[in-house]
Amino acid sequence: MRLSLDTLAAANALKPAYDPAALDIGVVHFGAGAFHRAHQAAYFDALAVADKRWGICGVSLHSAGVRDALKPQDGLYTLAILDEEISYRIIGSMREVLVGPEDIEAVFERLTRPSVGLVTSTVTEKGYCLAPDFSLDLQHPDIAHDLANPQTPKSFIGYVAEGLRRRKQAGLKPFVLIPCDNLPKNGVRLKEAVTVFAGQSDHDLALWIHENLQCPCTMVDSITPATDDALRTRVAEAIGVADAWPIQREAFTQWVIEDHTHDGGPDWESVGVTITDNVPAYERAKLRLLNGPHSTLAYMGLHRGYESVSKAMKDAELADIVRKLMIEDVVPLLEAPKGLDLVAYSEDILTRFRNPAIVHKLAQIAWDGSQKLPIRILSSLTEALDRGQDIHRLCLPLAAWMRFIRAQALSGEPLTDPLVDELIAIGTTCQDDLGDVSRFLSLRAVFPETLATDATVITGIEGAYAELLKREAVFA
Ligand code: CS2
């Protein structure tokens, strides 16, 4: 028996306390992947009990997988919350999923509905098509395509700009645009990117967007490992009905949104969203104290032969490096959001990393390193350098990433990264000596000139690289 509105009553799980079919579409979400369904969709599910306006139309920009899995289930899916206690909750807020390339006009129809007040996104760092300085990359193939073909976009930016153009033309106000990816100042960057995109062909539209679009910065957090068959089996056994695409996450969840004047929006705080005028402080703390250590564990952990975050955390030496990196190297660089003790925050994150109920694959976190490392590690490295702080630990994840790329290049296994070709070319020509470091440092899309030519940085990364080579020799 498959999960659907007809079988919902039989599911042995917490069920929506509202009729999912009665929800209006009020949100268009780009990137209907696991994180969205674990995080924002769960908040909209909680909102739906008192407010029927915020049903979600998910848009997948590439594949039809989520639509094909959820359509026969009337959009319902199971959220498995894996912690000391394990619970299963059916989420009813995802009302439909469209597939961009197949349903372009339907996506624009939703984007121009007066009742659609919010557009949210989890398109990953690379989905914003930004250059290393975080401005819109006009040379990006998808952006170049969308500028030439605005009615049939490929990129998230292209969809939003054309959606806004059509709203302006129809005399509607813009939707509120809420990015939910791990980018610093995500709202500022996104608004700039959409405005610059629009300004390439329509100055008035760019001005209208500049003056009217609300695009708050946000911080989102909840550890969400990818779905696998083990989860499907576990969910089917626990709830008694089959679900083609359940989602798993830890119990911890946090959503911080910049205070903004959005009349008629959802009652965010009633479902636990924090509304504040200091999102950057939360954002920096999370990017540097959760995501940075995550990437550190990923590259160093894979180097040591571990598969998951909790397994890597059992390596006392590695766990100690990560803890010191957080508390001794990164915390002193940060301003704490009001009421948050950054050391306690770090310890709580380390406890979350140890969660034995979650198998969070290091290989999943290792994706897209060229996009993640500048935000997660190089930001701290640059500031630590400016302050004359010791940088040796911050160099370890960078060196480990270089060894990871080298190993991927040798193995011939696919690498998921927008710079895959450049990275594999460097990885293949590595000689397994310190000369490799300068090959990687020449990648301007990752290492800005000032860092790549700094003697302390070069020595720091070479030292870390030498340590890793030595370790490989010992364990060979
Ligand atoms: C992780 C994040 O995959 C990754 O790069 O660091 O997805 C992380 O699990 C989330 O940001 C937690 O909120």
Side-chain angles (χ1 to χ4, degrees), residues 35 182 220-224 286 290-291 294 360 364-365 372 376:
F35 187 74
N182 292 317
V220 288
D221 190 8
S222 193
I223 290 175
T224 306
K286 193 256 170 170
L290 188 147
N291 297 113
H294 240 179
H360 195 186
Q364 181 189 341
I365 302 168
K372 293 174 176 175
R376 300 174 174 202

Side-chain angles (χ1 to χ4, degrees), residues 261-324:
T261 50
H262 173 211
D263 298 337
D267 183 359
W268 295 111
E269 281 160 315
S270 70
V271 291
V273 176
T274 304
I275 301 289
T276 168
D277 56 7
N278 194 13
V279 175
Y282 283 95
E283 204 176 46
R284 263 198 302 274
K286 193 256 170 170
L287 289 170
R288 314 262 194 110
L289 291 173
L290 188 147
N291 297 113
H294 240 179
S295 293
T296 306
L297 279 166
Y299 299 121
M300 292 189 71
L302 287 169
H303 190 257
R304 288 171 186 230
Y306 304 118
E307 277 200 357
S308 69
V309 174
S310 56
K311 288 266 164 58
M313 284 296 291
K314 286 211 166 108
D315 181 319
E317 190 190 36
L318 181 53
D320 186 56
I321 293 174
V322 171
R323 184 172 180 278
K324 288 194 170 125

Side-chain angles (χ1 to χ4, degrees), residues 105 108 111-112 151 160-175 202 204-206 208-209 212:
E105 276 312 309
F108 285 130
L111 287 174
T112 46
Q151 309 296 323
V160 169
E162 176 60 14
L164 287 168
R165 191 191 67 74
R166 295 190 190 198
R167 281 183 88 101
K168 176 175 177 277
Q169 195 177 37
L172 295 169
K173 29 177 220 178
F175 34 72
D202 186 340
D204 289 350
L205 176 62
W208 184 79
I209 292 174
N212 297 293

